Amino acid sequence: MEGRGIMSAERKQKMEQEIAGVLEALRLSETRRPMDFALQLGYAVYVRLFVEAQSRPGLQQHFPYGGFLMQWTRAEEPMERSQRVWELQYQVKYCASIVEEGHFMENASFTDRGDWAEQISRLVDLAADGCGWHGADDAGEISLREDGQIPEDFGWLLEETIRQICQLGNSGCFLLSRPLMELMTGMADIGGRKRVWNPGCRTGGFLKLLFEKNPQLRLAGSEEEKDFITLARMLRFCFGGGQVELRDGDPLTETGEEQYDLIFANPPVGEVEQELADRFPVSTRKIPLQYLQMMMERLTPQGTALAVVNESVLFRYDAEQKVRSRLVEEMDLQGVLSLPAGALLPYTAAKASLLIFSREKREEGAVWFYEAGPEEKEPPKPEEMSQSRALKDGEMEEILSCWEQREALYQNWKIQLAAASGFNKWENPAPARWEESCWFADWETIRRNDYNLTAGRYKPWQEEEQVPEGESPSRLLLELAAMEKESAAKIQELIEMTKKYE
């Protein structure tokens, strides 16, 4: 999924504004399935590129032979909405009829909404008009590029549209922010790795980032939602990276037994059917807990996994505690990074953490802990619910530095603990003076705490008295706000479904 060409910051800003204006004009924040707009845009992008390939031999390698010429009608050309819809429907249907089996266009069909057709045509024109197909040669003559690259503008248009639709909070597609993905890749020690898997890959953003930084990796992604995997394949087509394997289907039910050197996951929420609760050693219907156990099984002997989980996974009893016990006793749990409250907005206001664990267990060691971002004293305001809480300036570098030096820091922790030990508010051992940003807990200490993995449980100092994990009023309010938002979306969906019976 390698990027093609370079888009200026000014052009990106202009396109961002245009996309935002379109989403607002179409009121997609009130649409039951807003991601359908991104799918329709992807179909139109393919049609436009198909038309362009007819006069650009370098692009023809990306498209099957059509047999006859098609034309693209620009958005500003006078045309009845119904006529524009019919034309795009015909063009999409024709392209769908000639692609190979399994292509993302295979079963494509275009919407009958005239307002969508107009706005999609306008966005596609915007990408085409500034994509740099034309360039001046040494003699000053205008000529066509024949390098066969699909201009980055089309993929960027689709990617940014997906991102902005996700930011509306009603798409059902939960994407990690790019800074968080970059942080995870920085903590993964990719050097020497070969096979990487991203179960629940959504629209493939994580795989795209990995390919950009490490094109030598063998990348695979699995996604259950058909629309999301279709969008991932669209982006792979636009950006390149054909060697990235995209599989449709539930990762939890994959029959293959291939193991991976690295696994990145942001497990979806929800529960499976009761008859599927016993697929892993710890019986549970909770999907995040099944994901963690699946990752344990799919790691190579020297493999490492990184998973973003809801904070409740770290302190609840029952199945959560049993899975945590497996992480500590059967795996090598290396680190817990507590993310800032609101880091996963607008999808959820619940606090989350990043778990890093390997399959090959150390003979002796401890778990590294770090709390990122400022401690939240109150829940975000309503106008902030659509914005993810980013890391503080310079904090990513600080986290990565602490992570890379964790072995030396742990040795220093033990030395200071032996010299002058004390106990924190949870009666867990800590050095009397500790000035580093991270801290540690050995496996025996974690066992005594019922495998509780919240970072604050082992923090060697407290600026002020805090309510125990899981009972913070601000955290409860954050979770309540997220639940109310989800309930409102479901009610709206029911309203839409009942209209057909009126």
Side-chain angles (χ1 to χ4, degrees):
M1 301 185 184
E2 184 177 15
R4 306 291 188 175
I6 299 176
M7 293 176 60
S8 68
E10 293 78 12
R11 175 158 168 73
K12 287 184 177 181
Q13 184 178 23
K14 179 182 179 182
M15 291 181 70
E16 287 175 0
Q17 293 171 348
E18 290 289 338
I19 294 168
V22 167
L23 301 187
E24 178 64 26
L26 296 177
R27 303 172 67 88
L28 283 194
S29 61
E30 302 172 10
T31 301
R32 187 169 65 89
R33 290 175 54 88
M35 201 57 76
D36 285 348
F37 182 81
L39 284 168
Q40 300 298 314
L41 176 62
Y43 296 148
V45 163
Y46 184 88
V47 167
R48 178 63 186 266
L49 290 169
F50 183 91
V51 171
E52 294 290 342
Q54 296 171 151
S55 59
R56 304 182 191 278
L59 288 178
Q60 291 174 5
Q61 60 182 299
H62 302 290
F63 301 91
Y65 175 68
F68 68 93
L69 298 180
M70 288 198 309
Q71 294 183 339
W72 174 267
T73 303
R74 293 183 60 84
E76 68 265 20
E77 294 184 28
M79 176 181 282
E80 293 289 335
R81 277 186 172 181
S82 58
Q83 178 65 19
R84 187 179 299 276
V85 166
W86 179 87
E87 182 177 273
L88 284 168
Q89 286 178 334
Y90 174 80
Q91 291 173 326
V92 169
K93 184 177 181 181
Y94 175 72
C95 289
S97 70
I98 62 174
V99 297
E100 70 275 12
E101 183 178 356
H103 193 281
F104 65 81
M105 289 292 293
E106 182 181 13
N107 297 307
S109 62
F110 199 75
T111 181
D112 57 2
R113 290 191 55 170
D115 55 344
W116 281 29
E118 286 182 345
Q119 297 290 2
I120 285 173
S121 296
R122 188 162 72 86
L123 290 177
V124 173
D125 288 343
L126 180 65
D129 290 346
C131 67
W133 264 323
H134 297 279
D137 60 20
D138 293 339
E141 298 293 332
I142 299 299
S143 59
L144 296 178
R145 287 175 56 185
E146 299 296 344
D147 56 13
Q149 293 183 351
I150 293 176
E152 180 190 33
D153 306 59
F154 291 97
W156 195 91
L157 169 69
L158 182 58
E159 187 177 43
E160 177 62 18
T161 300
I162 292 171
R163 188 193 70 80
Q164 290 199 27
I165 289 175
C166 288
Q167 285 296 312
L168 298 176
N170 63 329
S171 67
C173 184
F174 302 157
L175 304 182
L176 295 176
S177 66
R178 185 176 178 93
L180 181 52
M181 291 191 295
E182 290 180 340
L183 177 61
M184 291 173 68
T185 57
M187 300 179 73
D189 187 21
I190 292 177
R193 309 286 185 166
K194 294 181 179 179
R195 293 167 294 179
V196 181
W197 186 35
N198 181 204
C201 65
R202 277 71 166 190
T203 61
F206 213 137
L207 294 169
K208 175 176 176 288
L209 175 64
L210 286 166
F211 183 78
E212 289 173 350
K213 294 180 176 295
N214 305 275
Q216 79 283 358
L217 295 175
R218 281 180 50 197
L219 299 171
S222 306
E223 176 54 50
E224 182 178 10
E225 293 291 336
K226 296 291 186 182
D227 289 349
F228 300 161
I229 199 68
T230 298
L231 289 168
R233 287 171 175 153
M234 288 176 174
L235 289 171
R236 181 182 62 183
F237 173 80
C238 290
F239 285 115
Q243 65 270 48
V244 177
E245 181 186 2
L246 294 170
R247 304 192 290 260
D248 54 346
D250 184 358
L252 292 170
T253 61
E254 283 191 4
T255 55
E257 297 181 357
E258 183 175 6
Q259 293 184 315
Y260 297 91
D261 302 308
L262 270 176
I263 302 178
F264 296 93
N266 175 25
V269 297
E271 295 185 342
V272 300
E273 295 80 3
Q274 183 61 48
E275 57 267 25
L276 300 176
D278 298 326
R279 286 188 290 203
F280 301 101
V282 176
S283 178
T284 176
R285 294 180 57 195
K286 297 178 180 179
I287 292 177
L289 300 182
Q290 290 210 351
Y291 255 69
L292 286 173
Q293 296 186 84
M294 172 191 69
M295 295 166 74
M296 297 179 199
E297 293 187 357
R298 301 295 290 274
L299 284 174
T300 60
Q302 290 77 40
T304 298
L306 296 91
V308 176
V309 297
N310 189 291
E311 190 90 342
S312 61
V313 172
L314 306 188
F315 61 82
R316 285 181 176 169
Y317 288 89
D318 301 323
E320 284 86 351
Q321 183 186 26
K322 294 177 182 177
V323 171
R324 296 196 304 271
S325 172
R326 292 197 66 198
L327 286 172
V328 173
E329 305 298 347
E330 300 175 32
M331 299 286 112
D332 184 11
L333 180 63
Q334 297 186 347
V336 178
L337 171 62
S338 177
L339 298 173
L344 302 186
L345 286 172
Y347 319 119
T348 176
K351 202 172 185 312
S353 287
L354 172 65
L355 300 178
I356 307 103
F357 59 92
S358 298
R359 189 161 190 171
E360 186 177 30
K361 195 165 183 66
R362 296 165 291 173
E363 294 183 0
E364 178 190 5
V367 179
W368 172 95
F369 290 95
Y370 190 108
E371 280 185 336
E375 182 70 20
E376 292 294 325
K377 304 304 180 184
E378 55 186 47
K381 300 174 182 177
E383 61 270 18
E384 298 174 336
M385 289 296 289
S386 63
Q387 300 297 323
S388 172
R389 302 294 182 87
L391 299 173
K392 297 179 294 186
D393 291 342
E395 189 166 27
M396 182 183 297
E397 292 77 10
E398 182 181 346
I399 293 171
L400 292 176
S401 176
C402 287
W403 175 251
E404 291 168 0
Q405 301 177 59
R406 62 188 182 280
E407 292 298 333
L409 289 171
Y410 177 53
Q411 295 303 318
N412 189 26
W413 169 278
K414 290 197 299 182
I415 291 172
Q416 293 197 35
L417 195 62
S421 63
F423 295 92
N424 69 1
K425 61 178 293 184
W426 295 98
E427 298 185 0
N428 288 316
R433 294 181 60 84
W434 182 254
E435 298 180 357
E436 302 293 343
S437 301
C438 60
W439 53 94
F440 301 87
D442 60 34
W443 297 327
E444 183 56 38
T445 299
I446 292 175
R447 292 187 188 104
R448 290 200 306 269
N449 284 267
D450 298 323
Y451 300 98
N452 188 310
L453 295 178
T454 51
R457 187 89 175 188
Y458 308 100
K459 194 172 184 179
W461 68 90
Q462 299 288 343
E463 288 83 359
E464 59 183 65
E465 189 70 16
Q466 298 176 0
V467 181
E469 286 86 349
E471 301 178 11
S472 165
S474 63
R475 187 174 302 167
L476 292 174
L477 287 171
L478 286 169
E479 294 183 355
L480 178 61
M483 293 170 59
E484 289 180 348
K485 187 173 183 179
E486 182 179 359
S487 298
K490 290 182 177 180
I491 291 172
Q492 182 62 37
E493 182 176 346
L494 290 172
I495 292 173
E496 296 292 333
M497 293 174 60
T498 56
K499 284 183 179 179
K500 66 177 71 173
Y501 301 108
E502 294 179 353

